[in-house]
């Protein structure tokens, strides 16, 4: 098998494991979208807005206060004068990172990071957040649509993960350039064409290996 076939097979295995979950997601999203699933020709039907209203209210009520980062010593001792400046700088950096993160979300036409996270969690019961630090020192906390993420766990935690989603060729090229992936196969694809992207990670001897 080629590398591509191996990745396709692994992703398909994980996707199939969550077939019932994905069907549930579709049904729950239809409730929030107030889809008229009982519509028939020459018949009256009614769609209530209770699920959407309750979801919006719950999302609003669960919004947290602005995050305040406070750094303390592990041993519980007070922070000395020499340490205080470094601690203040780190706390300010974390505060600025969250502010920049929200600005990035606003530029995408979305609400705040917290609103999107809580709303998705309430709608699906799932969340998927890729977090870490880039080589440039940028803190990231990228939310992924739960319906595109397919994890596998064992007694010690996550061991495999597939992420499968669809975008336009234009969006795919932007992502490829951003991530530094090989773009040769996408150069001639029309902008409006649909492209399936598959990412696969597996834990091998304690080290995460990822491929696209």
């Amino acid at each position: 098998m080629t590398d591509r076939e191996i990745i396709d097979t692994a992703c398909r295995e994980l996707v199939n494991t969550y077939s019932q979950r994905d069907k549930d997601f579709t049904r729950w999203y239809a409730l929030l979208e107030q889809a008229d699933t009982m519509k028939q020709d020459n018949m009256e039907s009614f769609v209530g807005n209770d699920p959407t209203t309750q979801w919006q209210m719950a999302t609003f009520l669960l919004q947290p206060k602005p995050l305040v980062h406070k750094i303390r010593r592990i041993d519980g001792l007070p922070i000395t004068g020499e340490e205080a400046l470094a601690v203040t700088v780190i706390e300010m950096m974390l505060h600025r990172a969250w502010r920049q993160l929200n600005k990035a979300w606003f530029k995408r036409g979305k609400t705040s990071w917290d609103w999107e996270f809580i709303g998705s969690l309430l709608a699906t019961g799932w969340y998927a957040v890729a977090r870490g630090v880039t080589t440039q020192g940028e803190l990231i906390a990228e939310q992924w649509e739960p319906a595109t993420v397919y994890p596998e766990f064992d007694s010690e935690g996550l061991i495999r993960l597939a992420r499968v989603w669809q975008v336009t060729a234009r969006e795919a090229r932007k992502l490829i350039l951003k991530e530094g992936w090989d773009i040769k196969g996408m150069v001639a694809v029309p902008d409006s064409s649909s492209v399936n992207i598959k990412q696969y990670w597996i834990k091998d001897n304690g080290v995460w290996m990822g491929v696209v």
Side-chain angles (χ1 to χ4, degrees):
M1 295 177 67
T2 65
D3 290 343
R4 178 172 180 173
E5 289 172 336
I6 293 172
I7 295 168
D8 283 342
T9 300
C11 288
R12 194 181 308 113
E13 288 175 356
L14 290 171
V15 170
N16 290 340
T17 302
Y18 287 93
S19 59
Q20 184 58 52
R21 182 205 67 172
D22 289 349
K23 291 177 183 177
D24 291 338
F25 282 177
T26 300
R27 188 174 76 255
W28 298 336
Y29 282 138
L31 284 173
L32 296 179
E33 293 168 357
Q34 298 176 226
D36 190 353
T37 58
M38 299 180 66
K39 183 178 179 180
Q40 299 181 44
D41 292 339
N42 303 317
M43 298 285 287
E44 290 187 359
S45 59
F46 170 78
V47 178
N49 66 351
D50 286 354
T52 304
T53 301
Q54 292 174 9
W55 170 73
Q56 291 174 335
M57 179 58 70
T59 302
F60 170 75
L61 292 175
L62 290 173
Q63 291 304 302
K65 295 180 180 178
L67 294 175
V68 178
H69 295 276
K70 291 294 182 183
I71 297 176
R72 295 180 173 82
R73 290 175 56 123
I74 296 177
D75 56 17
L77 296 175
I79 295 174
T80 65
E82 295 180 354
E83 298 169 332
L85 178 59
V87 166
T88 300
V89 170
I90 295 172
E91 290 175 348
M92 291 177 62
M93 180 194 70
L94 293 172
H95 174 73
R96 184 169 62 251
W98 277 108
R99 188 173 58 194
Q100 292 173 340
L101 187 63
N102 274 318
K103 285 183 178 180
W105 277 76
F106 295 150
K107 289 180 180 178
R108 301 179 189 178
K110 297 180 178 290
T111 52
S112 70
W113 194 94
D114 289 330
W115 184 280
E116 294 286 339
F117 177 81
I118 293 171
S120 178
L121 182 60
L122 287 173
T124 66
W126 286 70
Y127 70 89
V129 178
R131 78 285 189 276
V133 183
T134 67
T135 54
Q136 291 77 31
E138 177 189 5
L139 300 176
I140 59 171
E142 185 70 22
Q143 294 184 43
W144 293 344
E145 165 59 50
T148 67
V149 179
Y150 304 89
E152 180 181 347
F153 301 91
D154 67 6
S155 60
E156 296 183 355
L158 186 65
I159 56 171
R160 287 201 304 166
L161 179 74
R163 185 185 179 210
V164 181
W165 78 107
Q166 190 175 82
V167 296
T168 63
R170 182 179 181 180
E171 292 175 302
R173 276 191 285 269
K174 288 176 64 176
L175 179 62
I176 290 169
L177 291 173
K178 177 183 176 183
E179 299 292 342
W181 300 334
D182 186 356
I183 199 173
K184 286 185 295 186
M186 287 294 302
V187 173
V189 181
D191 284 351
S192 59
S193 298
S194 295
V195 176
N196 288 320
I197 300 180
K198 297 179 181 179
Q199 290 180 291
Y200 178 66
W201 292 266
I202 186 168
K203 199 171 186 179
D204 184 13
N205 293 325
V207 178
W208 281 101
M209 304 293 183
V211 290
V212 180

